[in-house]
Amino acid sequence: MNWQGKTVGFALTGSHCTFAEVMPQIQRFVDAGAKVVPIVSFTILTTDTRFGTSENWQKQLKEITGNEIIASIVDAEPLGPSKLLDVLVIAPCTGNTTSKLANAMTESPVLMAAKAQMRNHRPLVLAISTNDGLGLNAMNISKLLITKNIYFVPFGQDAPTAKPNSLVARMDLIMETCEVALEGKQLQPMVIERFNY
């Protein structure tokens, strides 16, 4: 697919352990010629973890995309009227974000961007990363699976013995999922084996 002239919204939420997998996927879009607009949840702005500091992750996002980060609900809201984004990716998409999206809650820049994208009937691609995907969050994932214009990066259990409810997307399939989502299709197979033994 030719990504020249396409604008990709790339939103990150607080599954810090998957950021290192996600950053190269953002670079893939840039290398393919897309304009990438970075969007972050409040957690990214304020939380340092053993996986890296907030400052470092923000710096990487700006350096890779060459764009300022959308980091407030107010700054995310114009994405709707402007129809800026051809596709919006949320990667990683935490259980918290999944549950709020499924229940129409808009309390972060990422969720406002998602609401804006859905308003425009344009593809929203979710790369889930949640320890509760086969627990209470299963019903929220199910709601989103049948929602028009929402597509999932193929996902599976990442540690079925140690964490049987945990689901994580194959982050290296984000671009491929977006390509078919722009055609109104879901990349298949969607449910895959994803063991990290």
Side-chain angles (χ1 to χ4, degrees):
M1 175 178 173
N2 183 4
W3 284 95
Q4 296 283 341
K6 299 288 187 186
T7 301
V8 177
F10 209 108
L12 288 85
T13 65
S15 179
H16 299 267
C17 59
T18 57
F19 290 173
E21 286 183 66
V22 166
M23 291 298 172
Q25 307 313 314
I26 300 173
Q27 186 69 58
R28 287 182 69 195
F29 284 106
V30 173
D31 292 345
K35 175 184 177 182
V36 178
V37 177
I39 307 160
V40 297
S41 67
F42 296 129
T43 302
I44 312 299
L45 295 176
T46 58
T47 307
D48 297 338
T49 72
R50 63 189 172 100
F51 300 104
T53 65
S54 167
E55 181 181 5
N56 180 58
W57 293 120
Q58 290 181 63
K59 181 181 177 185
Q60 284 190 53
L61 276 174
K62 290 178 184 177
E63 287 177 350
I64 293 170
T65 65
N67 291 309
E68 289 300 311
I69 296 170
I70 293 178
S72 73
I73 292 174
V74 170
D75 289 340
E77 191 277 334
L79 293 172
S82 70
K83 298 184 179 179
L84 177 66
L85 306 179
D86 293 294
V87 60
L88 172 61
V89 180
I90 304 179
C93 184
T94 61
N96 185 45
T97 299
T98 301
S99 65
K100 290 176 179 176
L101 180 61
N103 290 284
M105 298 173 70
T106 309
E107 51 73 70
S108 77
V110 171
L111 289 164
M112 177 56 80
K115 179 180 178 181
Q117 188 74 351
M118 293 172 74
R119 157 188 168 162
N120 291 327
H121 306 287
R122 292 186 174 180
L124 173 59
V125 172
L126 307 180
I128 58 174
S129 180
T130 171
N131 286 327
D132 195 33
L134 294 176
L136 286 174
N137 233 329
M139 63 181 178
N140 295 314
I141 291 171
S142 296
K143 285 173 73 173
L144 296 173
L145 283 170
I146 60 170
T147 302
K148 190 174 181 180
N149 299 317
I150 292 182
Y151 305 91
F152 281 77
V153 178
F155 59 86
Q157 291 176 282
D158 58 308
T161 302
K163 301 187 299 179
N165 287 344
S166 182
L167 294 174
V168 179
R170 276 269 308 272
M171 301 302 169
D172 60 316
L173 293 176
I174 289 173
M175 179 178 276
E176 290 76 7
T177 305
C178 290
E179 288 175 352
V180 296
L182 283 165
E183 298 174 358
K185 300 175 184 176
Q186 169 64 54
L187 185 65
Q188 298 292 345
M190 184 182 66
V191 179
I192 59 171
E193 284 190 327
R194 193 197 191 283
F195 297 165
N196 286 342
Y197 292 124

